[in-house]
Amino acid sequence: MTAPETGRGIGTGLTGTSFRILHVSTGNVCRSPITERLTRHALTDRLGDPFTGGLIVESAGTWGHEGAPMEANAAAVLADFGADASGFTGRELLDEHVITADLVLTATRDHRAQVISMGHSAGLRTFTLKEFTRLVRAIDPTTLPDASQEGMVERARALVRAAAALRGWLLAPSAEADEVNDPYGAPITFFRSIGDEINTALEPVVTALTGVSAPH
């Protein structure tokens, strides 16, 4: 796989293999930037060195504001978590982003449908964030490869396969349960509630990906 754009990825691994996580929302200025940078922050917390493991974290928008900075309230939310908001620029979702992604996590079911409609056999690796969280919680972590033995990339790939296999069996309690609402234009209080929602959804995902629990 090609190397990530400067400032957009986290790690390239020492073995030349990588696992790309692509977060998708609408404008790529609110939800997906928050999710991208919180994922990277959580990985750094667990792994210490952000270049460990070969995990690459990126984002884009289905109606992406190409070249735009993230919304000021989104940056403020990241600051609340101690996450880095610097150097971000919005991107419009392109075929190449979907083709090279190993896991696509979207804000809503509509975003998920749009990614899948682009083709590229994306269906088995595209989930809403909350959907993926729900599926991951049901997966026995002892059934996944040990990252310290087989590598984090192999563990991550196995996690996606296991989640895809569970999808038809473990349904959401409601359609809204798999959605992250758009805070665009909303006050900072709503942005903070969305940030908390995203962070809560990410915690079990990052733990499952890495095999490392969040530090206390």
Side-chain angles (χ1 to χ4, degrees):
M1 293 182 180
T2 57
E5 294 177 39
T6 301
R8 298 210 57 99
I10 177 168
T12 53
L14 298 178
T15 63
T17 60
S18 61
F19 182 93
R20 283 183 184 267
I21 302 168
L22 176 66
H23 293 297
V24 175
S25 63
T26 303
N28 194 214
V29 292
C30 296
R31 287 168 291 182
S32 51
I34 291 172
T35 315
E36 174 194 315
R37 295 306 177 92
L38 286 181
T39 304
R40 292 167 65 170
H41 182 65
L43 287 170
T44 302
D45 275 353
R46 285 166 172 75
L47 304 177
D49 182 349
F51 295 103
T52 299
L55 302 182
I56 298 169
V57 185
E58 303 176 303
S59 64
T62 55
W63 289 88
H65 299 180
E66 190 73 31
M70 73 173 74
E71 285 288 296
N73 282 347
V77 166
L78 290 172
D80 291 343
F81 287 99
D84 183 14
S86 65
F88 183 88
T89 54
R91 301 192 303 178
E92 183 174 356
L93 182 66
L94 302 176
D95 288 274
E96 66 190 68
H97 302 145
V98 177
I99 290 167
T100 58
D102 296 285
L103 171 62
V104 184
L105 296 176
T106 70
T108 69
R109 291 168 297 145
D110 183 56
H111 296 131
R112 182 185 64 195
Q114 289 181 67
V115 171
I116 293 171
S117 73
M118 294 171 73
H120 316 303
S121 304
L124 292 178
R125 51 197 167 90
T126 303
F127 309 80
T128 75
L129 170 62
K130 287 187 172 182
E131 174 191 23
F132 195 67
T133 301
R134 175 164 43 81
L135 297 170
V136 161
R137 288 184 185 278
I139 295 168
D140 181 353
T142 64
T143 64
L144 299 172
D146 186 335
S148 65
Q149 301 293 321
E150 299 182 56
M152 208 164 293
V153 169
E154 287 307 310
R155 181 184 178 91
R157 289 174 179 160
L159 181 67
V160 173
R161 290 193 298 268
L166 273 178
R167 179 150 46 189
W169 300 91
L170 192 63
L171 303 179
S174 68
E176 293 71 27
D178 282 347
E179 306 266 306
V180 176
N181 291 324
D182 191 356
Y184 186 77
I188 186 63
T189 51
F190 188 67
F191 266 84
R192 288 194 167 114
S193 71
I194 293 299
D196 288 340
E197 202 174 309
I198 290 170
N199 191 62
T200 298
L202 281 173
E203 284 298 314
V205 170
V206 177
T207 297
L209 284 167
T210 62
V212 180
S213 297
H216 296 290

